[in-house]
Amino acid sequence: MTRFTVNDRPVQFEMDPRTPLLWALRDAANLTGTKYGCGVGDCHACTVMVDGAALRSCLITLAECEGRFVTTVEGLSRDRSHPVQQAMVAEQAVQCGFCTPGIVMSAAALLAANANPSEAEVKAAIPNLCRCGVQPRLVRAVQRAAAVARREEKIDAAPPPGGSGRIPALSPKGDTP
């Protein structure tokens, strides 16, 4: 049995200790924000923070997580208010969304260690593969998130989950505000 903390909650997994953290998070803990991309650590879609460092969850085993603190994209912010999440939306650095959780976690780990990263530092810290091509906007988004975290800027971008439940395009005719 492996014990560690996930998103500020103590957990124990009764799984083979050689199981990659990715599968424990997705299959046992139902934290599906962490994505399976390649399984060999090349794409970084499965990035989570372990003790504050961005690590690929497909490459770290449950045994290696024993006693550590793991943060997934679900634990970063329940209402999408984290500066990285807000800046990714504001800078339109989100396309299909598959790689987004890994990028967000890499960026959050970078900003926790470096409050004002240069373009080169952002590119080095976020090697995530994105087939949609958000990389040109990614540096701008991370640097904007850094400014928000330093309280130099405010973003009103991403609405909290849930919303009003009303979808204008699917509303009956005449049901518009």
Side-chain angles (χ1 to χ4, degrees):
M1 186 174 336
T2 309
R3 292 185 174 104
F4 52 97
T5 302
V6 176
N7 299 336
D8 297 323
R9 293 185 176 168
V11 295
Q12 60 184 27
F13 290 99
E14 294 181 9
M15 300 172 78
D16 184 332
R18 296 171 295 179
T19 301
L21 174 61
L22 169 66
W23 298 119
L25 293 173
R26 289 186 59 80
D27 295 344
N30 199 32
L31 294 170
T32 58
T34 304
K35 304 300 182 198
Y36 171 77
C38 66
V40 295
D42 289 339
C43 72
H44 295 254
C46 66
T47 301
V48 297
M49 288 194 294
V50 179
D51 295 335
L55 296 179
R56 291 157 291 175
S57 63
C58 70
L59 298 180
I60 186 170
T61 65
L62 288 178
E64 293 170 302
C65 291
E66 182 75 40
R68 299 175 83 179
F69 292 85
V70 175
T71 305
T72 69
V73 71
E74 292 94 343
L76 198 57
S77 167
R78 291 179 96 25
D79 63 357
R80 298 183 190 136
S81 63
H82 190 279
V84 172
Q85 293 167 309
Q86 291 289 316
M88 291 284 290
V89 172
E91 293 296 329
Q92 298 179 11
V94 177
Q95 292 296 313
C96 79
F98 190 81
C99 65
T100 304
I103 290 172
V104 167
M105 297 310 292
S106 294
L110 169 64
L111 295 183
N114 181 350
N116 195 14
S118 68
E119 180 177 344
E121 290 169 322
V122 171
K123 288 179 178 179
I126 306 175
N128 304 60
L129 298 179
C130 173
R131 296 174 127 188
C132 300
V134 302
Q135 282 85 352
R137 293 171 289 225
L138 188 55
V139 171
R140 204 169 49 240
V142 174
Q143 290 180 325
R144 189 167 182 191
V148 170
R150 293 189 310 266
R151 301 188 191 286
E152 295 171 0
E153 185 178 337
K154 186 175 184 210
I155 298 175
D156 295 318
S164 68
R166 185 178 166 283
I167 302 171
L170 298 177
S171 296
K173 289 186 181 200
D175 183 26
T176 57

